[in-house]
Amino acid sequence: MNLIFTHHPADSLNTLLKEAGRPHAMILADSHTLSACVEPLREACPALADAPVITVEAGDVNKNLDSLRHIWEQMQQLGATRRSLLVNVGGGMITDMGGFAAATFKRGIRFYNVPTTLLSAVDAAVGGKTGINFGGLKNEIGAFCDADAVVISTSWLATLPAEELKSGYAEMIKHALIDSPAEYRRLLDFDIAAADLTGLLPLVERSVMVKKGVVEQDPREQGIRRALNLGHTAGHAFESLAMRRGRPVPHGYAVAWGLVVDLIISHMKLGFPSAAVHELAAYVGRVYGVMPITCDDYPALLELMSHDKKNATPGAINFTLLDAPGKIHIDCIVDARDIEAALDIFRDLMGI
């Protein structure tokens, strides 16, 4: 996978397409990125000037089988062959679903990811996980398939609402926690609410390289790659519960809350420093607010956690935990009583 970090994404993409022999390229975008990103990109990138655009409705609720079918049908009507190339321009919904569409169409065509949100740049666009939501569960259907290239730029982020920037930053905090104390401190000290986008690019590059290093050791998530699930066992449950309520929350917000839960459990099980748990809880509360839950929600949250794809044993709930930033413990089975105790502490710390 060719990772390119740049302040000039159109130039980089033009060079890539020239080097690839100007393949039959198609662009996938959603209704939000079509005018904000795709039109300026086509104007600045001659190699994509005439590329047809496949459009789906924006929002993670549309990362589903109906949208996937639409993409396949459009590629078929456009005469796509196994030599064609799909350029996914958008957030995580587009790179996840576009990657899966490319991985499965004619048993696989090439694709590039051009993430236009911070979350997709540091998470969804890199690492080879593709898929769609199914049966009310996040990313339930999918495949491992690497993009041929990922063009990452913070220049897209100027048009994003603050909520989107903060959502992506939660994944960067996760990467920093599994990386080192110094990187974690660097992220907590950076003001994402008033972000200098030029200064953000090196932080993004470091975050992506942390993920890349883990993925290269374990591309199919059989071992150490599960370190990247820090914050996601509880986080995905929060996110799915919010979807059930009809009040979706940004993925990164759910991950931020999940990180607090995971560090509480890390303190309970591995002695992660209590002061660091309180510091993160205060940071998350200040930046991400809270998701209102009560003890009546615990059965639903536990049931959702039990469906997590990293649970190898039926009925067991698997967490990634830390005994300190950079010191990872994967495959930690936590029983329901301890999870409920952690949720009690979470509610106390977050003032719910």
Side-chain angles (χ1 to χ4, degrees):
M1 177 174 53
N2 187 2
L3 284 173
I4 298 170
F5 300 89
T6 177
H7 292 296
H8 306 286
D11 292 344
S12 298
L13 195 55
N14 202 56
T15 299
L16 277 172
L17 290 162
K18 282 183 178 179
E19 292 173 349
R22 291 183 177 271
H24 172 226
M26 302 161 289
I27 298 171
L28 176 65
D30 66 31
S31 50
H32 288 168
T33 54
L34 182 61
S35 58
C37 304
V38 172
E39 291 175 7
L41 181 64
R42 293 173 83 198
E43 290 175 5
C45 179
L48 284 178
D50 298 320
V53 182
I54 302 168
T55 308
V56 296
E57 287 301 312
D60 200 68
V61 294
N62 296 300
K63 193 172 76 174
N64 56 33
L65 197 54
D66 288 339
S67 298
L68 180 65
R69 182 184 295 111
H70 171 72
I71 297 167
W72 284 330
E73 289 171 349
Q74 289 294 298
M75 289 196 292
Q76 193 173 57
Q77 291 172 18
L78 289 167
T81 71
R82 297 180 87 175
R83 291 188 176 89
S84 297
L85 172 75
L86 186 64
V87 182
N88 300 314
V89 182
M93 185 272 273
I94 287 295
T95 58
D96 277 357
M97 186 161 57
F100 187 49
T104 49
F105 187 80
K106 295 188 182 295
R107 296 194 177 95
I109 66 172
R110 292 174 294 170
F111 67 98
Y112 293 168
N113 285 335
V114 184
T116 60
T117 67
L118 184 56
L119 180 60
S120 59
V122 300
D123 185 36
V126 179
K129 285 186 177 181
T130 69
I132 60 170
N133 304 332
F134 186 77
L137 297 172
K138 287 277 295 179
N139 303 320
E140 183 77 351
I141 307 295
F144 288 98
C145 188
D146 275 320
D148 288 76
V150 183
V151 179
I152 296 173
S153 177
T154 54
S155 63
W156 303 111
L157 307 184
T159 61
L160 290 180
E163 181 181 80
E164 289 289 341
L165 279 177
K166 291 190 287 187
S167 184
Y169 204 66
E171 289 285 354
M172 293 177 65
I173 291 170
K174 177 199 75 176
H175 290 156
L177 273 166
I178 66 176
D179 183 22
S180 67
E183 192 63 21
Y184 178 51
R185 176 50 50 194
R186 188 182 180 200
L187 268 286
L188 289 188
D189 289 343
F190 184 83
D191 186 4
I192 191 59
D196 164 26
L197 297 183
T198 300
L200 183 60
L201 186 62
L203 296 181
V204 170
E205 182 170 359
R206 176 59 192 166
S207 188
V208 171
M209 297 312 290
V210 169
K211 179 172 184 178
K212 181 174 182 287
V214 172
V215 170
E216 285 177 344
Q217 295 178 64
D218 180 20
R220 296 273 173 168
E221 201 171 26
Q222 300 301 305
I224 191 59
R225 182 168 177 162
R226 289 197 282 274
L228 297 172
N229 288 316
L230 183 70
H232 283 64
T233 299
H236 277 158
F238 286 138
E239 191 170 9
S240 296
L241 181 62
M243 288 175 66
R244 285 184 182 179
R245 291 173 170 177
R247 298 190 296 273
V249 297
H251 173 72
Y253 281 53
V255 168
W257 301 326
L259 286 171
V260 176
V261 173
D262 283 11
L263 293 197
I264 291 167
I265 297 174
S266 294
H267 172 71
M268 293 164 58
K269 297 290 187 182
L270 301 171
F272 189 92
S274 176
V277 176
H278 281 78
E279 180 183 33
L280 182 65
Y283 177 91
V284 168
R286 184 171 68 252
V287 175
Y288 298 95
V290 299
M291 177 175 169
I293 60 167
T294 71
C295 56
D296 291 338
D297 294 311
Y298 292 1
L301 289 168
L302 288 168
E303 181 261 329
L304 287 164
M305 290 180 205
S306 72
H307 283 292
D308 198 285
K309 292 178 290 298
K310 60 187 166 289
N311 293 328
T313 305
I317 299 179
N318 190 316
F319 283 78
T320 293
L321 303 175
L322 304 171
D323 62 57
K327 295 185 178 179
I328 307 155
H329 297 256
I330 62 171
D331 297 330
C332 300
I333 304 300
V334 182
D335 66 36
R337 285 186 301 177
D338 285 336
I339 296 171
E340 289 179 349
L343 290 172
D344 284 338
I345 298 169
F346 170 79
R347 289 169 55 213
D348 286 342
L349 288 175
M350 304 300 289
I352 303 172

